């Protein structure tokens, strides 16, 4: 305890230099120990009665024990290492000799010993092994260092060697215990024709291990010498620290220290590791009101104030921490006693710091305000949502700073625009100490009454403090007397209004209210509120800018997607499009009517989010529309789209204005209601799903081409027949693939959600999204479900036409009859005229066979097909021309007309609206 209290010192110079009391024996001073110790002092220092002597004996025992253990370990390790070295060396020598040139020929010679004995001895001498023996396959020696052993049976294992393996082993051979290796000798065909063995005697291994013992013994002697020197230094150090004092003198010194300990005006406590009070000086007893028998009792039994008791029981180091004890404020320091190897426990010092209580209160208030700012910095602005950020600001100030907080923002801010001065305000944040608040709720429009503190703050752009709300409430009462009455009932009496200003623009106003017995706001509160609101204003402005950009991107994307589905009878279509929470993306879909009552379904995906992805999606969708107007097969359409994407990438790379289109995929499918067949191709897109009328689900996993932009790779076409009532499901990867869900699992969930018959496309869309839609989508989702409606057979008429102009009259008659059956007599004249011109052109310029087809759908479709690939062109005929007016007439009487190419020729078609 004396050492920790800083009171353990040598006697003062005058006392030690003056006359000693009678009977006091002389003792050597510190100066006598500065030189080398004499033999007498050394013997005294190392006596077993002294601590240094006991330490020396203990060190000698430890060193001897370590020497014995190290010696045993060294011998064993050296022997093991030598055995390993012997194995490795004998194996290397045997393998090297077995692979030496001419060995196989020597084994097959009439006298192998004459050829191999000199070579084996030479190899033995150079390699340092004890023998190199060559054996035949019967293990008979051809060579040996002892000639009388030649021709005798080899001692060792040879069966694995004859099987082509090399072995090492310890055996007792003709020259004693040894380590030997045996390896096979093979000819060019891999057949074992002999063996080679090399070995080293175990005695040589043991000899090498014994070489380490002198080093070990020398180390032990050095350790003992160091132990002797260390013990002498420890003894010298102890006598120097005690200044040669004997136990009686040390006792007297500690008595002096104890007197000083109880006289100082600082409380000192020593607490043992078991929680008992070991020592308490008089000042500590006075400050804490300890009983006379406090020493020896546990801390909880001393009746201390809760803060002091908790600190002492915690056992953690504390530096000058202010703690209330009764009517006193104590500065407490706590340090553990076991840091330098001492016994477990604590040393506690106490100083009366009651006069610092006022200063501590201010420091505590400042700490609370800093904590409020820190907590608000973590809580406000965690999202890019204007409403949520305003509510976070309101919640951050209650109850630590205000009883109620309201946040009002300009209407324009909520839409992402910059506010105009004097514009309408809306309540966006509200928080209070109770469940009920007297202020306008969130979402309502809030009036700014002229002349009130809040209106003055908005006009000036500066904070306004109102210590007494009597006058302000009187002005408000003219606008909303009921609201003012509720404010008075809640005893709200003071406010602090701070404008939300960011980048020079006032976005709104935050108002802090206090009621009950709380003091009004002061200038320090104003500084804190300004800092708090300034941080929140930046977050609100960031959220406003994000809202504006997000709204622009969503508007652009919505304008690029289909506003409504086109009218057609072949498919009953439903769709869903859900943008990701991170922003708009590049997923798109389309339904495009094609000639011949056919319908094209398109689903595509551009990787990424933002305006660039949305704009890229619009460009690709427009390109698909343009290419589909050419009535191209799916694989050819994707090929043209692929070239377009590549060309756009090259142009953008040259200009550097925009990023290239990367990761774009597309699936294009064409359904023909007459043949009930669907033809499709895909460019890196996920395969579609087909739901049959009985509820069975099939993923049409045909060959997927590369993503768009990799020109040169062809696209595969898949064709399948869809029964009436089947549903074709097209989707993007955002539906089935998530960060925490593998795509295979997503496809399984899609199958499960689709495998139920009797549902409409709208119901399928809803149930698929319910099963697969994540809580927080990170990618766009496009889903398109189309149920097939084949064109009835009685609405299709087909005629084969001979290559004879006279046949046109017969076809016209048959067409007129069919139109009469369909109730389309009004269209008979124009239809006969159109077909006459188309059939005549096919007979004159096309190739047989020629076929005519009428389709009664939403329009009347006339088709004439032939084997020729030449396409007719519309032109104006001169007044002197005898022909050239046929297609002109067709274009005049038909709503639409065109040409599409097939695998066997072309089809010229024309559509007329039904009456």
């Amino acid at each position: 305890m004396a050492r920790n209290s800083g009171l353990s010192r040598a006697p003062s110079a005058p006392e030690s230099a003056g006359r000693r009391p009678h009977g006091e024996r002389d003792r050597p001073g510190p100066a006598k120990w500065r030189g080398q110790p004499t033999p007498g002092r050394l013997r005294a220092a190392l006596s077993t009665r002294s601590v240094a002597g006991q330490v020396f004996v203990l060190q000698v025992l430890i060193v001897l024990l370590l020497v014995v253990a190290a010696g045993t370990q060294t011998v064993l390790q050296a022997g093991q290492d030598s055995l390993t070295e012997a194995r490795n060396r004998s194996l290397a020598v045997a393998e090297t000799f077995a692979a030496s040139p001419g060995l196989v020929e020597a084994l097959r010679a009439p006298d192998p010993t004459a050829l191999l004995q000199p070579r084996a001895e030479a190899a033995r001498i150079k390699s340092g092994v004890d023998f190199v023996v060559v054996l035949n396959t019967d293990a008979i020696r051809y060579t040996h260092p002892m000639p009388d052993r030649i021709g005798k049976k080899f001692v060792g294992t040879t069966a694995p060697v004859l099987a082509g393996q090399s072995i090492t082993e310890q055996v007792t051979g003709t020259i004693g215990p040894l380590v030997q290796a045996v390896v096979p000798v093979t000819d060019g065909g891999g057949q074992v024709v002999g063996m080679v063995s090399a070995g080293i005697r175990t005695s040589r291994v043991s000899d090498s291990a014994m070489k380490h013992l002198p080093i070990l013994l020398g180390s032990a002697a050095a350790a003992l010498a160091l132990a002797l020197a260390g013990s002498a230094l420890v003894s010298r150090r102890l006598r120097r620290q005690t200044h040669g004092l004997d136990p009686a003198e040390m006792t007297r010194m500690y008595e002096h220290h104890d007197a000083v300990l109880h006289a100082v005006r600082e409380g000192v406590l020593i607490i043992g590791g078991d929680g008992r009070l070991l020592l308490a000086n008089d000042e500590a007893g006075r400050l804490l009101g300890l009983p006379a028998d406090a020493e020896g009792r546990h801390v909880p039994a001393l009746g201390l104030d809760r803060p002091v008791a908790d600190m002492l029981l915690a056992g953690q180091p504390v530096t000058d921490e202010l703690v209330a004890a009764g009517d006193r404020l104590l500065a407490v320091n706590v340090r553990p006693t076991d840091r330098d190897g001492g016994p477990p426990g604590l040393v506690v010092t106490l100083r009366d710091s009651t006069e610092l209580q006022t200063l501590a209160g201010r420091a505590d208030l400042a700490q609370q305000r800093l904590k409020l700012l820190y907590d608000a910095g973590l809580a406000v602005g965690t999202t890019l949502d204007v409403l949520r950020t305003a509510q976070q600001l309101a919640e951050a100030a209650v109850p630590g700073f205000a009883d109620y907080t309201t946040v009002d923002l300009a209407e324009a801010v909520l839409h992402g625009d910059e506010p105009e001065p004097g514009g309408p305000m809306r309540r966006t944040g509200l928080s209070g100490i109770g469940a009920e608040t007297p202020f306008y709720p969130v979402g309502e429009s809030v009036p700014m009454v002229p002349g009130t503190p809040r209106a003055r703050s908005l006009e000036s752009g500066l904070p306004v403090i109102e210590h007494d709300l009597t006058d302000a409430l009187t002005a408000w009462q003219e606008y909303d007397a009921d609201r003012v009455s509720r404010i008075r009932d809640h005893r709200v009496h003071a406010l602090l209004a701070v404008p939300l200003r960011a980048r020079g623009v006032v976005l709104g106003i935050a108002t802090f209210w206090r009621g009950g017995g709380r003091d009004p706001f002061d200038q320090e509160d104003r500084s804190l509120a300004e800092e708090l609101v300034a941080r929140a204003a930046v977050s609100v402005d960031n959220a406003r800018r994000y809202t504006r950009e997000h709204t622009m991107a969503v508007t652009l994307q919505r304008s690029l997607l289909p506003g409504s589905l086109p009218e057609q009878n072949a498919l009953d279509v439903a769709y869903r499009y859900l943008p990701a929470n991170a922003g708009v993306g590049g997923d798109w879909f389309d339904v495009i009517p094609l000639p011949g009552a056919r319908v094209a379904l398109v689903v595509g995906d551009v990787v990424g989010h933002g305006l660039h992805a949305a704009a890229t999606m619009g460009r690709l969708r427009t390109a698909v529309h343009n290419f589909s107007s050419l009535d191209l097969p799916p694989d050819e359409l994707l090929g043209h789209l692929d070239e377009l994407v590549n060309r756009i990438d090259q142009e953008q790379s040259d200009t550097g204005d925009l990023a290239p289109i990367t990761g774009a995929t597309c699936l294009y499918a064409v359904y023909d209601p007459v043949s009930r067949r669907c033809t499709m191709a895909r460019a890196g897109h996920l395969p579609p799903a087909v739901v049959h009328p009985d509820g069975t689900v099939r993923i049409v996993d045909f060959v997927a081409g590369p993503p768009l932009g990799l020109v040169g790779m062809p696209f595969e076409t898949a064709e399948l027949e869809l029964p009436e009532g089947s549903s074709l499901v097209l989707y993007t990867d955002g539906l089935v693939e998530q960060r925490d869900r593998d795509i295979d699992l997503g496809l399984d969930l899609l199958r499960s959600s689709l495998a139920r018959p009797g549902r409409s496309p709208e119901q399928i869309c809803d149930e698929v999204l319910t099963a697969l839609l994540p809580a927080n989508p990170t990618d766009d989702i496009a889903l398109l479900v189309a149920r097939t409606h084949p064109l009835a057979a009685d609405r299709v008429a087909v005629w084969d036409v001979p290559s004879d102009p006279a046949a046109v009259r017969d076809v016209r008659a048959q067409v007129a009859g069919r139109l009469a059956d369909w109730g389309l007599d009004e269209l008979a004249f124009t239809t006969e005229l159109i077909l006459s011109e188309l059939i005549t052109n096919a007979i004159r310029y096309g190739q047989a066979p020629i076929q005519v087809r009428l389709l009664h759908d939403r329009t009347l479709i006339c088709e004439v097909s032939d084997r020729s690939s030449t396409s007719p062109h519309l032109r104006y005929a001169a007044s002197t021309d005898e022909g050239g007016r046929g297609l002109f007439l067709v274009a005049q009487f038909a709503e639409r007309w065109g040409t599409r190419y097939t695998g066997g020729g072309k089809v010229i078609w024309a559509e007329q609206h039904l009456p």
Side-chain angles (χ1 to χ4, degrees):
M1 188 279 294
R3 175 172 59 85
N4 281 284
S5 63
L7 301 175
S8 178
R9 303 189 308 175
S12 61
E15 180 182 349
S16 60
R19 185 177 58 188
R20 298 181 177 87
H22 178 72
E24 186 179 18
R25 59 183 177 83
D26 292 337
R27 58 183 183 272
K32 297 180 181 181
W33 290 83
R34 293 176 182 172
Q36 295 294 331
T38 62
R41 290 195 183 96
L42 184 61
R43 285 193 301 272
L46 299 181
S47 172
T48 54
R49 288 194 238 174
S50 66
V51 174
Q54 296 172 358
V55 171
F56 174 72
V57 173
L58 180 61
Q59 287 177 335
V60 170
L61 293 176
I62 292 175
V63 169
L64 291 177
L65 181 61
L66 292 177
V67 167
V68 173
T72 304
Q73 174 65 21
T74 300
V75 171
L76 294 176
Q77 185 63 38
Q80 184 64 31
D81 293 343
S82 299
L83 286 175
T84 302
E85 175 63 23
R87 291 174 180 271
N88 294 337
R89 185 189 299 182
S90 60
L91 181 61
V93 171
E95 289 179 343
T96 302
F97 194 87
S100 61
L103 181 60
V104 175
E105 289 77 7
L107 287 171
R108 293 175 176 174
D111 189 3
T113 299
L115 298 176
L116 297 177
Q117 178 68 8
R119 292 172 58 183
E121 286 302 296
R124 177 183 66 82
I125 295 172
K126 289 182 179 180
S127 61
V129 299
D130 288 325
F131 66 88
V132 176
V133 176
V134 181
L135 316 171
N136 62 10
T137 56
D138 296 327
I140 303 301
R141 301 187 184 96
Y142 285 149
T143 66
H144 198 278
M146 299 177 183
D148 59 330
R149 298 291 190 267
I150 296 175
K152 295 183 178 180
K153 188 73 172 182
F154 173 75
V155 179
T157 304
T158 60
V161 182
L162 293 177
Q165 300 180 5
S166 298
I167 64 170
T168 59
E169 57 184 354
Q170 288 182 253
V171 299
T172 301
T174 57
I175 59 175
L178 50 86
V179 177
Q180 66 180 13
V182 186
V183 300
V185 178
T186 59
D187 58 9
Q191 182 178 2
V192 177
V193 298
M195 296 174 283
V196 176
S197 176
I200 301 176
R201 289 174 297 168
T202 307
S203 58
R204 292 178 60 186
V205 175
S206 302
D207 293 341
S208 63
M210 298 303 294
K211 295 178 181 178
H212 298 279
L213 290 179
I215 299 175
L216 181 63
L217 295 176
S219 300
L224 289 174
L226 290 175
L228 177 62
S231 298
L233 292 175
V234 168
S235 176
R236 178 183 177 187
R237 181 66 177 174
L238 289 175
R239 292 187 61 82
R240 176 177 292 180
Q241 289 180 343
T242 59
H243 299 284
L245 297 177
D246 58 21
E249 293 169 333
M250 292 293 294
T251 299
R252 186 171 66 252
M253 179 177 291
Y254 276 105
E255 290 175 352
H256 294 165
H257 290 177
D258 188 64
V260 174
L261 178 67
H262 291 284
V264 296
R265 300 301 297 171
E266 186 174 75
V268 178
L269 301 175
I270 298 181
I271 301 173
D274 58 353
R276 293 179 182 272
L277 180 64
L278 303 181
L279 182 144
N281 67 350
D282 295 342
E283 182 67 7
R286 184 184 69 84
L287 294 176
L288 299 178
L290 296 176
D293 59 345
E295 294 184 359
R297 297 168 62 179
H298 286 90
V299 172
L302 298 177
L304 302 176
D305 290 336
R306 182 65 179 272
V308 178
D310 291 344
M311 185 176 297
L312 298 182
L313 293 175
Q316 299 298 323
V318 173
T319 301
D320 289 336
E321 183 165 340
L322 299 178
V323 179
D327 57 349
R328 292 187 176 89
L329 188 66
L330 304 180
V332 182
N333 291 271
V334 180
R335 292 292 184 272
T337 59
D338 57 355
R339 283 187 173 182
D340 300 323
L346 299 174
V347 174
V348 184
T349 61
L350 310 168
R351 294 195 310 275
D352 191 355
S353 302
T354 306
E355 65 276 7
L356 299 177
Q357 187 171 7
T358 302
L359 181 60
R362 293 181 179 178
D364 183 62
L365 180 60
Q367 184 178 8
Q368 292 177 2
R369 289 176 172 174
L370 288 176
K371 186 177 184 301
L372 175 64
L373 284 177
Y374 175 77
D375 294 340
L378 296 178
V380 180
T382 59
T383 67
L384 289 174
D385 182 80
V386 174
L387 298 177
R388 181 58 187 155
T389 303
Q391 183 62 29
Q392 288 173 343
L393 171 59
E395 293 173 354
V398 177
F401 184 69
D403 294 330
Y404 305 95
T405 302
T406 60
V407 180
D408 306 320
L409 297 179
E411 291 274 5
V413 173
L414 304 180
H415 303 293
D417 302 325
E418 289 193 1
E420 296 291 338
M425 307 289 290
R426 186 166 297 277
R427 178 64 43 84
T428 55
L430 175 63
S431 180
I433 54 177
E436 182 182 355
T437 61
F439 304 99
Y440 289 106
V442 173
E444 287 197 16
S445 179
V446 180
M448 288 294 156
V449 181
T452 59
R454 285 159 43 85
R456 296 200 311 269
S457 178
L458 273 179
E459 292 172 0
S460 64
L462 299 174
V464 172
I465 298 177
E466 191 72 20
H467 298 92
D468 188 355
L469 290 179
T470 302
D471 295 338
L473 291 177
T474 301
W476 283 332
Q477 191 167 4
E478 299 179 5
Y479 290 88
D480 194 338
D482 180 66
R483 187 72 55 184
V484 171
S485 175
R486 294 174 61 184
I487 292 175
R488 286 172 174 165
D489 291 342
H490 283 74
R491 301 173 60 195
V492 178
H493 60 80
L495 70 78
L496 170 58
V498 183
L500 277 87
R501 179 188 295 272
R503 301 177 178 93
V505 178
V506 176
L507 307 175
I509 187 171
T511 310
F512 306 96
W513 313 77
R514 284 182 179 174
R518 297 188 67 169
D519 296 333
F521 296 98
D522 55 24
Q523 293 301 320
E524 292 184 358
D525 293 328
R526 169 178 171 169
S527 300
L528 174 64
E530 284 184 299
E531 178 68 21
L532 178 62
V533 173
R535 297 183 182 183
V538 174
S539 299
V540 171
D541 191 54
N542 290 338
R544 177 188 68 84
R545 292 170 178 264
Y546 171 78
T547 301
R548 180 183 60 189
E549 295 179 1
H550 183 72
T551 302
M552 292 173 55
V554 170
T555 302
L556 172 62
Q557 185 186 42
R558 293 296 184 186
S559 66
L560 296 175
L561 288 171
S564 61
L565 298 180
E567 295 182 355
Q568 44 81 33
N569 291 338
L571 296 171
D572 182 10
V573 181
Y575 68 92
R576 296 291 185 273
Y577 182 84
L578 300 175
N581 292 345
V584 297
D587 291 15
W588 92 92
F589 64 92
D590 224 328
V591 179
I592 306 173
L594 298 177
R598 295 169 303 132
V599 179
L601 300 176
V602 189
V603 170
D605 185 5
V606 176
V607 175
H609 295 89
L611 290 176
H612 174 65
T616 300
M617 175 268 290
R619 300 170 75 180
L620 295 183
R621 178 171 176 257
T622 302
V624 171
H625 265 273
N626 293 334
F627 290 139
S628 65
S629 65
L630 301 177
D631 210 350
L632 300 174
D635 56 338
E636 294 184 19
L637 184 142
L638 290 182
H640 287 289
L641 191 62
D642 188 32
E643 294 178 0
L644 175 64
V645 171
N646 181 262
R647 186 163 61 252
I648 294 175
D649 284 347
Q650 292 178 356
E651 293 173 357
Q652 293 177 354
S653 299
D654 294 339
T655 60
D657 295 336
L658 295 172
I661 303 173
T662 58
T665 64
C666 183
L667 171 63
Y668 186 83
V670 176
Y671 173 69
D672 187 347
V674 178
S675 64
R676 302 183 182 182
R677 302 194 67 81
C678 181
T679 307
M680 62 187 71
R682 57 188 177 126
H685 203 82
L686 291 173
V690 174
V691 183
H692 291 275
D694 60 355
T696 59
V697 180
R698 173 191 172 195
I699 301 295
V700 188
D701 193 7
F702 60 100
V703 177
L708 298 175
L710 304 177
V711 177
M713 301 296 290
F715 295 97
E716 297 282 343
T717 300
E719 186 173 343
L720 63 155
E721 184 173 347
L722 299 178
E724 182 177 0
S726 300
S727 295
L728 187 63
V729 181
L730 284 68
Y731 52 92
T732 56
D733 58 355
L735 180 67
V736 295
E737 185 177 14
Q738 300 294 331
R739 292 178 180 175
D740 57 348
R741 185 176 67 198
D742 186 73
I743 189 170
D744 292 333
L745 178 58
L747 290 175
D748 291 339
L749 291 175
L750 177 63
R751 290 191 190 93
S752 301
S753 61
L754 293 175
R756 284 165 51 192
R759 293 177 298 170
S760 67
E762 289 290 344
Q763 292 174 332
I764 292 176
C765 287
D766 292 337
E767 295 185 15
V768 167
L769 290 182
T770 300
L772 280 81
L773 184 64
N776 186 23
T778 59
D779 194 8
D780 295 0
I781 296 175
L783 175 63
L784 192 65
V785 179
R787 173 172 293 174
T788 61
H789 293 290
L791 190 61
D794 59 356
R795 287 177 172 260
V796 179
V798 180
W799 298 276
D800 293 327
V801 182
S803 298
D804 183 2
V808 176
R809 183 179 58 185
D810 296 334
V811 173
R812 285 204 307 264
Q814 296 177 21
V815 168
R818 181 54 61 94
L819 292 178
D821 296 339
W822 289 344
L824 302 176
D825 295 305
E826 297 180 17
L827 299 179
F829 174 75
T830 56
T831 304
E832 292 178 17
L833 178 61
I834 291 172
L835 286 177
S836 295
E837 296 299 333
L838 295 181
I839 296 172
T840 301
N841 282 338
I843 294 174
R844 181 176 299 176
Y845 304 108
Q847 299 177 4
I850 301 173
Q851 190 178 72
V852 173
R853 187 170 73 163
L854 284 184
L855 303 177
H856 183 195
D857 193 38
R858 300 181 68 88
T859 60
L860 180 62
I861 304 170
C862 304
E863 297 181 346
V864 177
S865 62
D866 65 84
R867 287 287 183 177
S868 174
S869 60
T870 58
S871 176
H873 299 283
L874 180 64
R875 67 183 180 88
Y876 287 93
S879 58
T880 58
D881 291 342
E882 295 183 0
R885 297 177 179 83
L887 287 181
F888 182 79
L889 293 175
V890 172
Q892 291 297 314
F893 287 105
E895 295 295 332
R896 296 195 305 159
W897 75 278
T899 304
R900 73 172 182 270
Y901 294 95
T902 63
K906 68 176 182 299
V907 176
I908 303 177
W909 55 270
E911 291 185 4
Q912 302 174 78
H913 284 308
L914 299 179

